[in-house]
Amino acid sequence: EVQLVESGGGLVQPGGSLRLSCAASGFTFSSYWMHWVRQAPGKGLVWVSRINSDGSSTSYADSVKGRFTISRDNAKNTLYLQMNSLRAEDTAVYYCARGIEEAFDIWGQGTMVTVSS
Amino acid sequence: AIRMTQSPSSFSASTGDRVTITCRASQGISSYLAWYQQKPGKAPKLLIYAASTLQSGVPSRFSGSGSGTDFTLTISCLQSEDFATYYCQQYYSYPITFGQGTRLEIK
């Protein structure tokens, strides 16, 4: 079964850090670009970041540039999002998603990140 | 960034109705448009990509059309499981952007 499973979310204080993971299974992970998308409570979808198949190229939304780092370990079939200098406005469910022509055909179940003191 | 505007933001319909949701891009995006369905507490599900290509496993009552700046998602005969929120997404250029969503409710 093709699957993405996120982990690593939780409660963190403003200014803190968190690393999200996304474990892939059921497909050749190293062949696909991967993305992170977030959704604040009661709000819409916002693209956060993407990484190409071999990890050599990345892109970020302006709102997270310089604070978040996307990476991947193709040997472990795992995608990561390192989040530093977290702000209250980063509170959201974070989804990892597989890209096909930059549409997202497979999504994880999401992991909640809450930034609060 | 390309702005995606959906209309309506919400509306009510009945099972069996034909419904159309529109999505307008602030600049031309060719056919680099996808549609997603999201139910409460669940991840989005890809319905259509490349503006009109039905994702595998998605019922044929869903269809998409358009190119350039104006796009539509049509559900030909609403089923109970179709009541959800729908999002369009452009992937013509970064940053990838989504519409604000259209909430489809039962009348």
Side-chain angles (χ1 to χ4, degrees), chain B residues 25-88:
Chain B
S26 60
Q27 65 186 74
I29 60 170
S30 185
S31 296
Y32 294 98
L33 184 105
W35 289 97
Y36 300 87
Q37 176 193 69
Q38 187 179 34
K39 297 181 179 179
K42 300 295 186 182
K45 173 186 175 183
L46 178 64
L47 300 175
I48 286 168
Y49 63 97
S52 61
T53 302
L54 197 66
Q55 172 68 351
S56 176
V58 174
S60 59
R61 63 181 180 272
F62 291 91
S63 64
S65 66
S67 67
T69 60
D70 294 312
F71 302 85
T72 61
L73 172 70
T74 299
I75 310 172
S76 60
C77 181
L78 269 177
Q79 303 298 302
S80 57
E81 60 266 31
D82 300 336
F83 292 96
T85 299
Y86 293 85
Y87 294 93
C88 62

Side-chain angles (χ1 to χ4, degrees), chain A residues 59-110:
Chain A
S59 296
Y60 298 92
D62 285 347
S63 59
V64 307
K65 200 173 295 183
R67 300 187 300 122
F68 290 12
T69 302
I70 190 172
S71 62
R72 65 192 297 162
D73 185 335
N74 285 344
K76 295 183 177 179
N77 292 334
T78 303
L79 174 72
Y80 302 100
L81 186 68
Q82 177 67 43
M83 303 186 296
N84 299 330
S85 303
L86 283 161
R87 307 166 180 166
E89 55 265 35
D90 296 318
T91 294
V93 174
Y94 284 74
Y95 296 101
C96 61
R98 187 177 82 170
I100 54 162
E101 300 181 15
E102 302 297 64
F104 308 144
D105 68 332
I106 304 296
W107 295 66
Q109 84 288 354

